[in-house]
């Protein structure tokens, strides 16, 4: 009986009918002839109520439902959650689905209404976009079933207490995976990269075809084969590439729900895959008060899983980053020349100058690329028409900050440090293009 009462819910339609009956009783005081008719109507409603309860609860298991979630959620992307409902009643039912989704989404009005025909199944999906890494706990899948009378609803509960971890954006990883084998990545990016010369890692000798560089003719092989033969070269492989992620307070700024740190983590995952596909060694580490989450640069088959696990476990309190510790750690642990892609953010030229001595020290022994972000919120202020003195003042300040970003690029260039100034949504493409540019120019 206790369970029966827990699963029984009166629908709004029943209360609307009761309100109508109360209104008729009020009218019966004015027109007494209606009094008996209203009582008959009231008993008829109670009869239909009893019938509705009976047909919903007489079947022990009138409904089955399952929730299907991905093995892991992709941070910053739309993830599809599937729900399947099977109707065992001998009549069409009206369902209201309330899924207890993880608290991180802060959704308080989740509700999906579906009609399921007799002895049939219904499948539908909804999407969730997480903006934090970590464990997401799904609660109970609640389904409220009503008959065609729609006076009461019976609650069914399924799929209780399910945990799904949220990892860095592996959906983006798959997006670039199939095109990482060739130079299609050049075309896929925002800008086209022009190759300068060619690298000098020998691959094979082949017959000359129209379009081959005549400077690569191999005269000895030509004389031996009695036909033109050329040396074929390929990009230098097995070069070490490290992604250094600043987890300090400068990376806390949000953009479209994600912090700059999470954008950097997602870009690191995708770029690592591209690096390994290009036969280079991929490694990474994060730093703030200390250097941690280190994965040494290798090109083993298990390297991507190591990087994914390390990125998932990055935790930070957004302290002030210690670049001196970063410099000492790189000097101690990375002994051969490598490409180091540093994800950080500088808002002012003074902020850069405080860290510039350490960046210059790193750039002496390695090829350093500093990746930092444009403040896209400033663009709205800059392009907005100013109507008051206060708005003019805000626009001037915004243009000043925007100009300082370009000054930072020039300042880094002065000391032989490469840079990528990008918007958060273009971070992945721009960093891939910069890596491919370094490969194409052979400057590592």
């Amino acid at each position: 009986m206790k369970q029966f009462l827990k699963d029984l819910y009166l629908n709004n339609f029943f209360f609307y009918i009761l309100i109508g009956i109360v209104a008729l009783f009020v009218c019966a005081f004015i027109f007494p002839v209606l009094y008996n008719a209203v009582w008959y109507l009231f008993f008829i409603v109670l009869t239909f109520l009893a019938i509705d309860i009976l047909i919903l609860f007489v079947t022990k298991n009138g409904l089955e439902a399952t929730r299907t979630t991905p093995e892991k959620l992709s941070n910053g992307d739309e993830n599809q959650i599937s729900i399947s409902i099977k109707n065992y009643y001998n009549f069409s039912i009206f369902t209201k689905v309330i899924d207890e989704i993880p608290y991180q989404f802060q959704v308080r009005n989740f509700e999906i209404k579906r009609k399921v025909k007799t002895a049939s199944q219904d499948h539908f999906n909804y999407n969730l976009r997480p903006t934090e890494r970590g464990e997401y706990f799904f609660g109970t899948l609640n389904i409220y079933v009503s008959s065609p009378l729609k006076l009461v609803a019976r609650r069914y509960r399924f799929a209780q207490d399910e945990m799904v971890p949220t990892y860095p954006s592996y959906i983006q990883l798959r997006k670039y995976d199939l095109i990482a084998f060739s130079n299609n990545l050049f075309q896929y990016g925002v800008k086209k990269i022009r190759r300068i010369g060619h690298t000098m890692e020998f691959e094979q000798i082949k017959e000359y075809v129209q379009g081959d560089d005549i400077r690569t003719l191999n005269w000895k092989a030509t004389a031996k084969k009695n036909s033109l033969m050329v040396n074929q070269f390929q990009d230098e492989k097995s070069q070490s590439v490290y992604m250094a992620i600043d987890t300090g307070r400068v990376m806390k700024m949000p953009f479209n729900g994600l912090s700059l740190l999470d954008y950097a983590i997602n870009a690191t995952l995708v770029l690592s895959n591209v690096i390994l596909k290009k036969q280079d060694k991929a490694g990474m580490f994060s730093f703030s008060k200390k250097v941690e989450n280190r994965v040494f640069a290798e090109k083993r088959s298990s390297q991507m899983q190591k990087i994914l696990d390390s990125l998932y476990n990055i935790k930070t309190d957004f302290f002030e980053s210690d670049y001196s510790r970063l410099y000492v750690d790189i000097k101690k642990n990375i002994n051969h020349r490598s490409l180091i892609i540093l994800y950080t953010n500088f808002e002012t030229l003074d902020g850069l100058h405080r860290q510039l001595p350490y960046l210059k020290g790193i750039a002496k022994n390695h090829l350093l690329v500093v990746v930092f972000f444009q403040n896209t919120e400033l663009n709205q202020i800059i392009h907005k028409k100013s109507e008051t003195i206060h708005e003019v003042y805000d626009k001037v300040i915004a243009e000043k900050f925007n100009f300082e970003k370009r000054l930072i690029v020039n300042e880094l260039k002065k000391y032989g440090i490469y840079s990528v100034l990008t918007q958060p949504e273009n971070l992945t493409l721009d960093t891939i293009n910069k890596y491919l540019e370094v490969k194409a120019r052979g400057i590592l």
Side-chain angles (χ1 to χ4, degrees):
M1 186 65 181
K2 185 177 180 181
Q3 186 62 40
F4 165 77
L5 293 176
K6 281 186 176 181
D7 293 337
L8 176 63
Y9 289 82
L10 297 175
N11 287 333
N12 290 339
F13 182 57
F14 174 73
F15 291 106
Y16 295 151
I17 293 176
L18 283 185
I19 292 172
I21 292 175
V22 170
L24 289 175
F25 272 118
V26 173
C27 293
F29 280 102
I30 303 172
F31 306 102
V33 69
L34 297 176
Y35 186 74
N36 290 332
V38 174
W39 272 110
Y40 289 140
L41 180 61
F42 176 68
F43 288 123
I44 290 172
V45 170
L46 290 182
T47 302
F48 276 107
L49 178 66
I51 293 172
D52 202 5
I53 293 173
L54 182 64
I55 62 177
L56 283 176
F57 286 85
V58 70
T59 304
K60 187 175 181 181
N61 294 310
L63 189 78
E64 275 188 9
T66 57
R67 180 210 297 129
T68 305
T69 60
E71 184 180 347
K72 53 183 179 288
L73 300 178
S74 178
N75 193 25
D77 299 313
E78 295 290 344
N79 297 264
Q80 190 175 90
I81 312 297
S82 301
I83 293 179
S84 176
I85 300 175
K86 190 169 185 180
N87 178 18
Y88 290 108
Y89 287 103
N90 55 4
F91 52 84
S92 296
I93 58 174
F94 299 88
T95 63
K96 181 170 68 173
V97 180
I98 299 179
D99 197 1
E100 296 177 0
I101 63 178
Y103 71 89
Q104 288 94 332
F105 295 102
Q106 291 296 298
V107 177
R108 309 298 178 94
N109 58 346
F110 184 93
E111 182 180 301
I112 298 175
K113 293 183 178 181
R114 307 284 292 189
K115 180 181 178 180
V116 186
K117 294 182 179 180
T118 307
S120 64
Q121 280 187 307
D122 184 29
H123 301 275
F124 58 93
N125 306 313
Y126 66 91
N127 293 326
L128 294 176
R129 181 179 180 267
T131 55
E132 298 176 5
R133 288 165 291 112
E135 296 180 343
Y136 283 64
F137 290 90
F138 286 82
T140 302
L141 176 62
N142 300 280
I143 300 182
Y144 297 85
V145 179
S146 298
S147 72
L149 295 176
K150 294 186 178 180
L151 296 176
V152 298
R154 178 180 178 180
R155 183 182 66 173
Y156 289 89
R157 295 162 62 87
F158 303 96
Q160 299 185 25
D161 301 330
E162 182 180 3
M163 192 281 288
V164 181
T166 296
Y167 276 77
S169 181
Y170 63 86
I171 290 179
Q172 286 190 39
L173 178 66
R174 294 171 182 170
K175 180 180 175 182
Y176 294 97
D177 192 29
L178 294 178
I179 57 175
F181 293 98
S182 66
N183 291 335
N184 290 338
L185 277 168
F186 288 97
Q187 301 169 5
Y188 199 83
V190 173
K191 59 182 180 180
K192 292 183 178 180
I193 307 298
R194 182 170 65 92
R195 285 181 174 269
I196 301 176
H198 55 74
T199 54
M200 297 305 294
E201 184 170 321
F202 178 77
E203 184 177 14
Q204 64 178 350
I205 299 174
K206 71 178 187 70
E207 289 190 11
Y208 174 83
V209 295
Q210 188 175 358
D212 284 339
D213 190 347
I214 60 174
R215 293 174 297 177
T216 62
L217 284 170
N218 187 317
W219 294 110
K220 289 184 179 180
T222 297
K224 185 176 180 180
K225 291 285 187 178
N226 200 26
S227 63
L228 289 176
M229 306 293 290
V230 294
N231 294 329
Q232 186 174 10
F233 299 90
Q234 62 182 359
D235 289 339
E236 294 181 12
K237 298 179 179 179
S238 299
Q239 297 171 318
S240 296
V241 183
Y242 282 91
M243 279 74 61
I245 304 173
D246 185 352
T247 59
R249 63 179 180 84
V250 296
M251 298 292 280
K252 191 175 183 178
M253 184 181 295
F255 178 83
N256 197 21
L258 288 178
S259 67
L260 296 183
L261 173 61
D262 281 308
Y263 277 102
I265 288 172
N266 290 344
T268 297
L269 180 65
V270 177
L271 182 57
S272 299
N273 186 54
V274 174
I275 291 167
L276 293 171
K277 297 294 184 185
K278 288 291 185 180
Q279 303 300 314
D280 282 336
K281 300 175 182 177
M284 60 144 293
F285 54 88
S286 63
F287 74 98
S288 179
K289 296 174 70 176
K290 60 181 180 179
V291 177
E292 50 193 352
N293 302 110
R294 189 193 314 278
V295 177
F296 285 102
E298 294 177 348
K299 58 175 183 177
R300 297 179 181 177
S301 58
S302 61
Q303 190 71 355
M304 275 305 299
Q305 188 61 45
K306 286 183 181 179
I307 291 174
L308 180 62
D309 292 339
S310 295
L311 292 173
Y312 174 76
N313 290 317
I314 289 180
K315 294 180 175 61
T316 177
D317 293 323
F318 294 106
F319 290 114
E320 185 74 27
S321 297
D322 188 347
Y323 278 76
S324 63
R325 188 178 291 272
L326 172 67
Y327 167 71
V328 171
D329 189 270
I330 290 176
K331 193 170 183 64
K332 177 182 177 182
N333 293 296
I334 306 179
N335 299 320
H336 54 279
R337 182 172 172 81
S338 305
L339 170 60
I340 297 177
I341 300 176
L342 172 61
Y343 293 97
T344 185
N345 197 30
F346 295 111
E347 288 294 335
T348 63
L349 202 57
D350 289 337
L352 170 67
H353 284 151
R354 286 195 295 270
Q355 315 301 345
L356 193 56
Y358 308 112
L359 299 179
K360 288 161 59 178
I362 296 171
K364 283 182 181 179
N365 301 314
H366 304 280
L367 180 61
L368 178 62
V369 177
V370 176
V371 182
F372 61 109
F373 299 89
Q374 293 178 351
N375 192 334
T376 53
E377 296 293 329
L378 295 179
N379 294 334
Q380 299 178 8
I381 301 175
I382 292 172
H383 295 106
K384 181 181 176 182
K385 185 178 179 180
S386 301
E387 297 179 352
T388 64
I389 297 296
H390 182 73
E391 289 179 350
V392 171
Y393 177 78
D394 289 342
K395 187 172 184 177
V396 170
I397 296 299
E399 289 176 346
K400 175 182 178 295
F401 279 113
N402 213 20
F403 179 66
E404 267 199 87
K405 292 280 187 177
R406 297 193 293 272
L407 288 179
I408 291 172
V409 173
N410 292 333
E411 189 72 9
L412 291 169
K413 187 177 180 180
K414 188 191 304 182
Y415 298 101
I417 301 173
Y418 293 85
S419 62
V420 176
L421 176 59
T422 181
Q423 297 180 4
E425 68 267 28
N426 298 329
L427 174 63
T428 301
L429 284 174
D430 288 344
T431 50
I432 290 176
N433 271 329
K434 178 57 71 172
Y435 162 70
L436 294 175
E437 180 185 354
V438 170
K439 292 283 292 180
R441 297 176 61 185
I443 56 179
L444 179 56

